[in-house]
Each structure stands twice: as C-alpha cells, then as structure tokens.
Amino acid sequence: MSGFPILSLMLLVPLAAALACLYLDAKSARTVALLATLANLALGVVLWLNFDVGGAQWQFQERHELFSGFSYALGIDGIALLLIELSVFLMPICIGASWNSIEKRVGEYMAAFLLVETLMIGVFTAQDIFLFYMFFEAGLIPMYLIIGIWGGADRIYASYKFFLYTLLGSVLMLVAMLWMVHTAGTTFIPTLMSYAFDPQVQTWLWLAFFASFAVKMPMWPVHTWLPAAHVQAPTAGSVILAGVLLKMGGYGFIRFSLPMFPEASAYFAPLVWGLSMAAVVITSLIALVQDDMKKLIAYSSVAHMAVVTIGLFAFNVQGLEGSMLVMLSHGLVSGALFLCVGIIYDRLHTREISRYGGLAINMPRYALFFLLFTMASIGLPGTSGFVGEFLSLGGIYQASSWTALICTTGIILGAAYMLYLYRRVVFGDQKNADAAAMADLDLREYLMVIPLGLAVLWMGVYPESFIAPMRADIAALDARLARAKPEGDAKLAMGKEKPAHEEAAAHEGAH
C-alpha cells in the first residue's frame, strides 16, 4: 500500500457519488449511495488490514503544500483508524434505513448523507490544523439540511439550535488555531502535538478549544441541542449523529486539548469531572421520565459521553483506552437503538412509548435484537458496553474515587431507564390493535441489525482487536501527559513478590 493514496480515495468516492445523486432520480440515487458507501466500507477493510500495528505512529500519509503554509496533509494513527472504521461501517446502514422512509428530494438527501461521510473521514484524517477545521465545521452544513428539510414537525427550530450551538463554540477555536500557528510556525498537527506552549497561554487556548469540543460531545449544560436534534432528525440522521458526529468532540480532546495543552488539561480536569458527574446523574434522571423513545435514548447519549470525558481527563492509560472503547461502543449501540426506534416508527408513525406494548408476541425477532442492544447500553458483560465502561471506571477510580462512585450511579440509572423502556415497549399486554398487527423484521431490516449485533458482540468478547491498533498511540499520549498528571486520591499499590526463602519460612510456620 506504500504510496497509494487510499485516504484521498476514501474522501473522493462519497464526494463523487454525492454529486452524481444530485442529477439522478430517486431509485438511481438510492442505488448509487448504497454502492458508494459499500465501496468505502471495502476501502475501510483494506485500510484496517494494511495498518501496521506497532509500526510508525502516522501511516498512509499524504502531504502537498498549497499556499501560505496551508497544506493538503492526510494521515492516520490507530485512534483515527478506529473512528474511520466506525464511520464507514455505519454509513451503508444509514442508507438502508432511509430506503423507504425518505420519499421527497431523495437525490438531495442521499447527496447530503454522502457529503457527511466525506467530511467525517476528513476530520479523522486531516493532519493540517486548518484542513481539520474546514472538515470539522463543514460537517454542520449537510447535517443542518438533513434535520431542517427531512426532519419532524419542529425541524426548523431543532436545526437552527443545532447549527448555532455548534458554530458559536468553533469561532473561539479558530482564533486559538491562528495564534498557535503564528507561535509554532507550522500548521502540521503532529508537530503541534509535541510543541511546548507556554503553560500560562495554554489556559486560554484550552478554553477556546473546550468551547467547541464541549458542545460537540455534548457536555452538560450545553447539551440541550442534542435531544431536539435527535427527536426531529430522520432515523438515519439520528444514527449518524449519535454514532459518529458526537465522537468528533472526544477526538478533538484526544488530538488537541490533551497533547497540546497538558498543563491546562490537568488544571481544568476537576471542572471536566464536575460537569461530567452532573451530566451522568441529571440526564439519566431526565431519561427516566421520558415518554418519547428517541428523547430517552438522546439523554442516555449525554450520560454515556460524560463517562468518556471523565475517562479522557483521568490522565492514565486505562481511562484513555476505556474512553475510546466507550466511544466506539456507543457509536454502535446508540446507532442500533435509534435504528430499532425507526423500525417501529416506520410502521406506526409514533415514538410515544405508551402506544406500544407486547411486541414480543408479534415481533419476537425484533424484540431479540432490541434486547441485545439494550443490554449492551447497560453494559452487560460479553457486550461492547461492558469493556469500555469497566476500563473507564478503573481509570477514573485511580484519579478520583468519588468521581468513580458517582459515575457508577449512572450505570444503575442506565439499567433503570433502559429496562423500563424495554419492558413498556416489548412486554406487557397488547393494548393497541395497530401495534399488535405490526409485522416482524423484513430482509432489509435484518441486513441492518445483524451486522450491528455481531459488532457489539465482537467488541464485547474480543476487545483486543480494537485496543491493539491504538495501544501505542494511547501510551504515547499518556507519556506526554505524565509531566502534568495530577495526583489521584486512590492510593493504589501493586503487591511485591516475597523472596523464596521468606515464602518457605512462612509455609513452615503455617505447619
């Protein structure tokens, strides 16, 4: 693969297909979009197989100087690889979810989704700081259109709120980027990651980046755009919003805030912990009282992403690896849960929990998959949710035992609201004849939920295949953070092995 521009090709395929969809009829646009996303998935598999685990940190690099220091620079490490794989895995499922439900302006809709894919991959591959910013901000535009044109009754309000929240935070980030480039004399992200910025200036730079990434995550209390966006977005819009777009905030923390501003990150870690603890408890309690299925899952997303932010700022390998695994797992599980909601919404055209009940009788296969994704969301051992949360909480405990304790309440509350949702939708009496008459999963829906189910189980049973590509990158980030690492309150110490003669003496004494 040496010298082959696979990353540029992965950007070009959906972009070219998006342009083609604008000029095609509905049926042809659906077909082209599906083929393009499957082609990018195939390229993602090639990327995965050719990634050299344990090799150079930055691989598949391409760099072309353009003007005034700005360059077209692409490249990935293990962290970016995993997020790209998540993106290309979910996109064909999103196209499948939109196959029948989108009936107006189909070509434009498919073009918008393919443009989202291009920009998502661009965010994770960009190695020039301004190229990253362009991809990061441009992603707002097609998502804004998807919500605003193909969304629900209050789609205009939701799309404007989504756009304004995410755009305003990013203006400060651009100012910070300009200052950093002027000071460091480079726009190349790997060089900036190792540059020693003045600790006093780091504070202001960190806050500028935080204004953008906190909204994108989204962190409490700037999370209010998310439930509105999820409820109004079409099913596929919710899948990709929860699955990948929220992960851009976490990726930003890993790529910029932590390695570039380690002292400021340590200084503000208690702030991040406090906001995230509030999010875990408050949004979980709000989720418990929701009547709308989408809104419940949206609030659960805020709680899960709060565990990610605390793990990232735990300043240890377990917290960082756990946060990455939670992001990957949440991308799969929340996407799958929104898909499950979309499947029954397409049949009954309501998301009100009270309108369902007893679906295990007439939709047993649907109930089985919904149960798998519900248990993964709770963190059942053997599913993807368990591995990430276990590692994250282990890392958080080393940094702050009280923070870990409060985060653990989120797991209990998560079990409460997810099982409560499942019981009301799937079990009980069939009170509504129209819900009782709904047909079980068809072939198209099987092709969407089976890959998600297998991925959730694969990550839960064999997480090493996901940890291995990023292990060296997480270790490098941990080493970068070591000089600023705050002291944790959990005084953990490994036991020391006794010398052989002391072990023998103790054994003799026992007899």
Side-chain angles (χ1 to χ4, degrees), residues 281-301:
V281 177
I282 293 170
T283 56
S284 295
L285 291 172
I286 293 173
L288 264 173
V289 297
Q290 295 304 313
D291 295 321
D292 185 300
M293 286 186 281
K294 261 195 173 184
K295 196 170 281 190
L296 186 152
I297 299 167
Y299 279 112
S300 80
S301 292

Side-chain angles (χ1 to χ4, degrees), residues 183-253:
T183 303
T186 181
T187 60
F188 196 48
I189 291 174
T191 305
L192 290 169
M193 286 171 67
S194 58
Y195 188 86
F197 290 101
D198 185 337
Q200 291 183 322
V201 179
Q202 279 188 30
T203 301
W204 299 104
L205 296 174
W206 189 94
L207 286 170
F209 277 81
F210 182 73
S212 180
F213 298 149
V215 172
K216 208 80 168 185
M217 281 295 285
M219 292 181 67
W220 184 89
V222 289
H223 68 286
T224 55
W225 63 268
L226 183 70
H230 269 313
V231 168
Q232 299 305 321
T235 297
S238 292
V239 171
I240 209 65
L241 182 60
V244 183
L245 294 181
L246 300 189
K247 311 305 176 282
M248 290 182 183
Y251 179 75
F253 283 131

Side-chain angles (χ1 to χ4, degrees), residues 61 101 121 131 142 148 153 223 229 233 253 274 278 325 337 344 390 398 436 448 498 509:
Q61 286 186 299
S101 58
I121 295 171
L131 187 65
H223 68 286
F253 283 131
L325 287 176
L337 287 170
I344 53 177
F390 186 84
Q398 293 178 45
M448 292 189 292
K498 287 185 178 180

Side-chain angles (χ1 to χ4, degrees), residues 150-470:
W150 295 278
D154 293 327
R155 59 186 181 275
I156 303 299
Y157 166 77
S159 58
Y160 270 109
K161 192 171 185 179
F162 163 73
F163 191 84
L164 291 175
Y165 262 72
T166 47
L167 181 65
L168 290 174
S170 299
V171 173
L172 292 172
M173 184 170 75
L174 178 59
V175 174
M177 285 178 171
L178 291 167
W179 189 93
M180 290 163 60
V181 169
H182 175 74
T183 303
T186 181
T187 60
F188 196 48
I189 291 174
T191 305
L192 290 169
M193 286 171 67
S194 58
Y195 188 86
F197 290 101
D198 185 337
Q200 291 183 322
V201 179
Q202 279 188 30
T203 301
W204 299 104
L205 296 174
W206 189 94
L207 286 170
F209 277 81
F210 182 73
S212 180
F213 298 149
V215 172
K216 208 80 168 185
M217 281 295 285
M219 292 181 67
W220 184 89
V222 289
H223 68 286
T224 55
W225 63 268
L226 183 70
H230 269 313
V231 168
Q232 299 305 321
T235 297
S238 292
V239 171
I240 209 65
L241 182 60
V244 183
L245 294 181
L246 300 189
K247 311 305 176 282
M248 290 182 183
Y251 179 75
F253 283 131
I254 292 172
R255 188 62 80 228
F256 294 91
S257 302
L258 290 166
M260 295 183 190
F261 323 125
E263 284 81 10
S265 296
Y267 178 77
F268 285 111
L271 169 68
V272 175
W273 296 347
L275 294 176
S276 301
M277 283 189 289
V280 167
V281 177
I282 293 170
T283 56
S284 295
L285 291 172
I286 293 173
L288 264 173
V289 297
Q290 295 304 313
D291 295 321
D292 185 300
M293 286 186 281
K294 261 195 173 184
K295 196 170 281 190
L296 186 152
I297 299 167
Y299 279 112
S300 80
S301 292
V302 180
H304 280 102
M305 295 308 288
V307 175
V308 172
T309 45
I310 301 179
L312 291 175
F313 285 84
F315 282 74
N316 54 58
V317 170
Q318 288 89 344
L320 291 166
E321 287 184 349
S323 292
M324 270 299 298
L325 287 176
V326 171
M327 282 202 285
L328 295 171
S329 171
H330 179 262
L332 296 170
V333 174
S334 66
L337 287 170
F338 279 117
L339 192 62
C340 287
V341 173
I343 286 170
I344 53 177
Y345 177 80
D346 287 343
R347 288 160 168 74
L348 210 58
H349 299 290
T350 179
R351 292 183 298 269
E352 289 296 315
I353 297 171
S354 59
R355 290 284 285 109
Y356 297 94
L359 293 187
I361 298 171
N362 57 307
M363 300 180 72
R365 296 175 184 84
Y366 169 84
L368 177 65
F369 282 102
F370 193 9
L371 178 64
L372 170 62
F373 301 133
T374 299
M375 290 302 173
S377 178
I378 294 169
L380 182 75
T383 65
S384 58
F386 172 77
V387 185
E389 289 188 1
F390 186 84
L391 263 178
S392 288
L393 288 171
I396 294 164
Y397 179 76
Q398 293 178 45
S400 170
S401 54
W402 281 105
T403 304
L405 177 65
I406 292 172
C407 281
T408 306
T409 64
I411 295 176
I412 298 165
L413 290 170
Y417 61 68
M418 288 307 301
L419 291 175
Y420 188 38
L421 167 68
Y422 189 79
R423 184 186 70 79
R424 287 183 290 169
V425 172
V426 174
F427 294 137
D429 298 327
Q430 292 190 317
K431 299 174 183 176
N432 299 299
D434 46 2
M438 295 195 305
D440 209 343
L441 299 176
D442 59 28
L443 178 61
R444 177 181 62 87
E445 291 160 346
Y446 272 125
L447 292 174
M448 292 189 292
V449 296
I450 288 175
L452 285 165
L454 292 175
V456 164
L457 293 173
W458 176 21
M459 189 184 291
V461 174
Y462 190 56
E464 173 62 17
S465 54
F466 297 88
I467 296 174
M470 65 177 172

